[in-house]
Amino acid sequence: MQRFISRLTGDIQLQKADRILRKMSMDCEDTEYRSSIKHVRRIIRQHRKKERKRVLMLAGLLCIGILFFFIWSGICLVRGFMKDSQDSVLAKGTQNAKEGENTAGKNSKLEEPVELLLTFTGDCILGTDEFFAWDTGFNAYYEMYGPEYFLDNVRDIFQADDLTIINMEGTLTEETERLDKQFAFKGEPAFVDILASSSVEAANMANNHSHDYGEQSFDDTLAALDDAGIVHFGYDETAVMDVKGIKVGLVGIYELYDHLEREQQLKDNIAKVKADGAQLIVVIFHWGNETETVPDSNQTTLGRIAIDEGADLVCGHHPHVLQGIETYKGRNIVYSLGNFCFGGNSSPSDMDTMIYQQTFTIDADGIKKDNVTNIIPCSISSAAYDGYNNYQPTPAEGDEATRILGKINERSSWISTAEGSTFTAKYNSNNDSQSSSADTAASDSDIVDMNSSASDDTDAETYDESYDTDNSDAE
């Protein structure tokens, strides 16, 4: 250290000079000259002492500065640690308080049972294929009548429920590059007002026409739904909606191409909405075979797996015709809702469809297994009697309602159910849900319940060129 200080101050050179002068002084006989040498040596020693003192002072200040830096750093670290600890405690306290409030609020809500009326429809193609005739196509009707025309006859039903869910088949886009497939459907993004103006709150996007004009057309459709405030779900996108304080989980699965290979996706998506807090879970499938009136083994297997995994209701579509309903472990699987607001055909041979409604009662113990349903027989066209589709789905009345309901019940009886029972569809003409059960009849005089009025279904198997009968174009 001393050598370092000596180098820093130049003391080594001074020492050498002092030694030389001392030797000169000892060898010098001239008293006056010796005295001068001693004076110079004294000056050198004073300078050495002064420099050493200055350097030591600077070194001391440097040490003090370093010490202060470490002390200050330590204080900052301690303060930071204390602040983080306090913030963590406060955050945890706030979170616990919020959780307590939420739990208290949830429990207080569930002290009184909450009823949710959910409504489901089949395929909605809000647009047309560019190769279809313009004057009888969906887009021409939009230009003539505007967005509120299409769902005018069912709007009151949708507005009276708590949640309406449709299958959004087709795209809402301005893209012009059509995929190379037999049928590709698109409408203008503004067509989303058809749904928004009629209290449709959610749309399944997992189907074989959601990408008809490429990936951009799919993104455009999602954007249009977002702009209208309509929730979308399907494929790997799930949704959890808050409806009257109850979290409703929505899962959409596209089965046509992978069939039972979609089992893992189904399980993962149900687990996902559970993790997101869903108290009521609905699974929507786009599955089955077109024009087939009986669900295939892929449908029954996946539908039952969905229930086993925690779904409270399963609904499906794609066959373009109605299929039956199965009650499995106290929960319903509606295999095909058929078409609904359907721009895919201007004159289909089978225009029968339905609106499926189910009322769920949730209390402190969970969802009651009371199976309260209301099946509303409909036609996809208010001009069905005239033999063409005017794209205005309409509830059936009188003998027509009886016929369509009978068709649903007959097709339900064709299903080889896991539990050996048959679902009996009931329609309340006052649009109030009523209990449905297996092999039981309704007692209320407002309810139409018949199993013996099934219509002749032979014409349901004949489709014209406007149907997409080739599943090979599945996305």
Side-chain angles (χ1 to χ4, degrees):
M1 181 67 181
Q2 185 175 358
R3 186 174 181 83
F4 172 75
I5 294 175
S6 296
R7 286 185 176 181
L8 186 65
T9 60
D11 195 47
I12 293 176
Q13 286 76 16
L14 291 175
Q15 283 180 342
K16 288 180 179 180
D18 187 51
R19 282 196 297 270
I20 293 170
L21 289 172
R22 184 177 62 179
K23 186 176 180 181
M24 289 175 62
S25 176
M26 292 175 62
D27 296 340
C28 183
E29 296 179 356
D30 188 335
T31 304
E32 185 176 350
Y33 186 63
R34 184 185 296 172
S35 177
S36 297
I37 292 173
K38 287 182 178 179
H39 178 69
V40 172
R41 288 185 65 199
R42 191 180 301 113
I43 292 173
I44 290 173
R45 287 195 296 271
Q46 289 175 351
H47 182 73
R48 287 177 61 197
K49 186 176 181 181
K50 187 175 181 180
E51 284 298 311
R52 292 173 72 88
K53 185 176 180 181
R54 182 178 67 84
V55 171
L56 289 171
M57 185 178 295
L58 290 173
L61 290 173
L62 179 62
C63 290
I64 291 172
I66 293 171
L67 181 63
F68 178 78
F69 172 77
F70 282 110
I71 291 172
W72 177 253
S73 298
I75 291 172
C76 289
L77 287 172
V78 172
R79 283 181 177 176
F81 176 76
M82 292 178 66
K83 186 176 184 300
D84 289 343
S85 298
Q86 290 175 349
D87 290 345
S88 178
V89 171
L90 288 172
K92 188 173 182 180
T94 302
Q95 182 179 357
N96 289 339
K98 286 182 177 179
E99 288 177 355
E101 290 174 2
N102 290 339
T103 301
K106 189 177 291 185
N107 288 339
S108 64
K109 288 180 182 178
L110 294 182
E111 286 177 1
E112 295 294 330
V114 178
E115 287 190 352
L116 297 184
L117 175 58
L118 273 56
T119 300
F120 301 86
T121 78
D123 297 339
C124 291
I125 295 180
L126 308 184
T128 188
D129 187 294
E130 63 185 36
F131 296 114
F132 289 179
W134 171 261
D135 57 344
T136 58
F138 188 96
N139 296 25
Y141 277 78
Y142 186 90
E143 287 194 3
M144 286 188 290
Y145 302 115
E148 296 188 5
Y149 159 82
F150 297 92
L151 299 179
D152 187 51
N153 293 335
V154 295
R155 184 175 297 113
D156 289 346
I157 297 171
F158 293 172
Q159 289 176 340
D161 67 14
D162 297 305
L163 177 60
T164 301
I165 302 171
I166 61 114
N167 176 47
M168 181 63 203
E169 193 158 20
T171 62
L172 300 177
T173 184
E174 295 180 353
E175 283 292 300
T176 58
E177 190 170 345
R178 183 183 192 273
L179 293 187
D180 184 15
K181 57 191 300 188
Q182 185 177 9
F183 301 105
F185 301 109
K186 76 167 183 174
E188 296 296 325
F191 288 11
V192 74
D193 290 339
I194 296 169
L195 307 177
S197 65
S198 296
S199 191
V200 173
E201 288 88 15
N204 169 64
M205 294 297 299
N207 58 68
N208 58 312
H209 288 291
S210 60
H211 294 73
D212 277 358
Y213 280 75
E215 192 66 30
Q216 185 59 51
S217 69
F218 179 75
D219 293 340
D220 290 344
T221 307
L222 299 187
L225 292 169
D226 286 336
D227 291 343
I230 297 171
V231 172
H232 48 77
F233 63 97
Y235 302 110
D236 284 327
E237 180 189 28
T238 60
V240 176
M241 301 180 66
D242 189 305
V243 184
K244 293 169 67 173
I246 300 298
K247 291 185 177 181
V248 180
L250 303 176
V251 172
I253 302 294
Y254 174 65
E255 175 269 351
L256 299 184
Y257 184 73
D258 296 317
H259 305 304
L260 295 182
E261 292 179 16
R262 286 296 170 188
E263 177 180 344
Q264 191 57 52
Q265 182 188 44
L266 170 64
K267 292 179 177 179
D268 291 344
N269 286 354
I270 292 175
K272 183 180 177 183
V273 295
K274 282 183 180 179
D276 291 337
Q279 298 162 275
L280 171 65
I281 299 175
V282 176
V283 175
I284 304 295
F285 283 99
H286 202 69
W287 60 6
N289 303 292
E290 293 186 355
T291 77
E292 290 295 329
T293 56
V294 178
D296 63 24
S297 60
N298 294 320
Q299 291 173 266
T300 56
T301 299
L302 288 173
R304 292 165 190 171
I305 289 173
I307 300 295
D308 291 337
E309 292 297 311
D312 299 292
L313 173 64
V314 173
C315 288
H317 27 67
H318 175 68
H320 297 304
V321 293
L322 294 170
Q323 291 182 346
I325 300 170
E326 175 186 4
T327 299
Y328 173 72
K329 295 185 177 180
R331 295 173 173 83
N332 293 333
I333 305 171
V334 185
Y335 282 106
S336 177
L337 290 160
N339 298 323
F340 197 65
C341 188
F342 190 70
N345 194 325
S346 62
S347 57
S349 57
D350 185 353
M351 300 195 202
D352 295 342
T353 186
M354 66 169 155
I355 295 173
Y356 176 87
Q357 292 189 312
Q358 185 160 345
T359 299
F360 294 91
T361 301
I362 302 96
D363 58 19
D365 297 323
I367 301 172
K368 289 185 178 180
K369 293 184 179 180
D370 47 6
N371 205 4
V372 180
T373 64
N374 184 35
I375 313 298
I376 304 176
C378 297
S379 171
I380 66 171
S381 171
S382 63
Y385 282 117
D386 297 320
Y388 68 92
N389 183 9
N390 65 4
Y391 315 107
Q392 192 176 54
T394 302
E397 298 178 349
D399 291 342
E400 272 297 286
T402 300
R403 181 186 63 80
I404 296 170
L405 196 66
K407 174 188 284 189
I408 297 168
N409 284 331
E410 182 181 35
R411 294 181 181 182
S412 296
S413 72
W414 296 343
I415 299 170
S416 298
T417 62
E419 299 173 356
S421 59
T422 300
F423 180 93
T424 302
K426 302 174 181 69
Y427 167 44
N428 184 344
S429 58
N430 293 331
N431 292 329
D432 295 325
S433 295
Q434 300 289 337
S435 295
S436 292
S437 61
D439 296 325
T440 59
S443 59
D444 195 302
S445 59
D446 287 333
I447 303 173
V448 180
D449 175 21
M450 68 299 291
N451 289 308
S452 59
S453 303
S455 64
D456 182 3
D457 294 322
T458 56
D459 66 340
E461 311 307 322
T462 304
Y463 278 72
D464 65 19
E465 66 276 10
S466 296
Y467 278 115
D468 182 359
T469 56
D470 182 5
N471 289 342
S472 63
D473 65 353
E475 313 302 341

